[in-house]
Amino acid sequence: MEKISPLLARLVRRLTRLPGIGERSAQRIALHLLSQEDAETRELSRLLMEAREKIGFCEKCGFYAETLLCPICSDPKRAQGKLCVVEQPVEVLSLERSGIFRGLYHVLGGVISPLDGVHPGDLSIDRLLTRVEDEQVSEIILALSSSVEGETTSLYLGEQLDGRGVSVTRLARGLPAGSRLEYLDEATLSRAFEGRVKL
Ligand SMILES: [Zn+2]
């Protein structure tokens, strides 16, 4: 590695820190970046910086947004009153890819995990309860991971939502233990969604 240009070596090493990029892919990307037009590389670096600066989180649901509200919350065609609760923004991407859900989302920001120092107050649970009131929510679908922490969080949310006149369901059991939605293929995700059960 050190026989090649030190800068190229640094670039490759830096690229291997990206998720899913091994050394060979990193090398291929680095060489591609070097061989393309200046303008292309400049555009890429500008886009990276711009995305970093402008992409924040939706005030309402916590998904990625460039304005106060994300494109999903701003879309009048989405079914109002139906909320799908997920752990992280990436899971909204998985569900949107599957096309199974046409309502709105609520990103919790994680799951309750006392061992990791994550308590209910660290998650956007209060905001969820406020939304249930303000948006006249009639159905909540808990789409959390099938880990112990995910289960604990689902039960906790079930208790908090009890008596608020909202139907609470969760994804079908039988998902691989510990699996996060992010890693499920679309068919498995759709099955779990369609087979959802009352909490
Ligand atoms: Zn939103």
Side-chain angles (χ1 to χ4, degrees):
M1 208 23 191
E2 299 306 335
K3 289 196 197 88
I4 63 172
S5 138
L7 258 179
L8 179 57
R10 266 176 65 195
L11 180 58
V12 170
R13 261 204 309 276
R14 186 62 192 78
L15 287 168
T16 57
R17 279 156 62 184
L18 297 175
I21 305 291
E23 184 153 339
R24 274 178 60 180
S25 303
Q27 230 167 61
R28 209 157 50 224
I29 294 168
L31 295 178
H32 175 79
L33 290 172
L34 286 181
S35 69
Q36 68 182 2
E37 298 285 333
D38 272 9
E40 292 272 318
T41 309
R42 215 169 284 128
E43 161 73 8
L44 176 63
S45 61
R46 211 173 25 230
L47 188 59
L48 284 173
M49 284 314 294
E50 198 181 339
R52 194 72 186 79
E53 282 160 17
K54 292 194 180 156
I55 301 177
F57 298 102
C58 174
E59 212 175 43
K60 207 172 183 182
C61 74
F63 185 47
Y64 300 115
E66 289 171 42
T67 49
L68 282 185
L69 296 183
C70 73
I72 298 173
C73 287
S74 320
D75 182 355
K77 288 201 287 292
R78 305 292 299 217
Q80 309 292 314
K82 273 179 192 248
L83 288 189
C84 178
V85 178
V86 296
E87 289 171 38
Q88 301 292 351
V90 65
E91 276 123 19
V92 175
L93 293 174
S94 305
L95 282 160
E96 285 298 291
R97 236 187 348 261
S98 79
I100 185 99
F101 181 63
R102 301 302 299 161
L104 302 173
Y105 293 95
H106 188 85
V107 179
L108 273 188
V111 280
I112 299 169
S113 177
L115 286 178
D116 301 311
V118 185
H119 302 282
D122 301 314
L123 307 172
S124 66
I125 295 174
D126 285 347
R127 200 142 53 90
L128 173 65
L129 299 177
T130 309
R131 287 187 73 187
V132 169
E133 300 288 320
D134 293 353
E135 297 172 39
Q136 286 149 22
V137 173
S138 57
E139 186 185 2
I140 289 199
I141 299 151
L142 301 174
L144 306 177
S145 55
S146 56
S147 60
V148 174
E149 293 80 12
E151 300 285 318
T152 306
T153 309
S154 290
L155 290 176
Y156 180 83
L157 289 177
E159 283 166 18
Q160 298 295 311
L161 291 163
D162 195 33
R164 289 175 191 259
V166 52
S167 136
V168 184
T169 55
R170 49 176 295 159
L171 298 192
R173 287 170 198 277
L175 293 177
S179 63
R180 276 188 55 186
L181 251 57
E182 180 190 351
Y183 304 116
L184 297 179
D185 63 86
E186 285 155 36
T188 308
L189 194 54
S190 299
R191 263 201 312 279
F193 214 87
E194 272 159 2
R196 60 187 185 270
V197 291
K198 284 234 177 280
L199 192 71

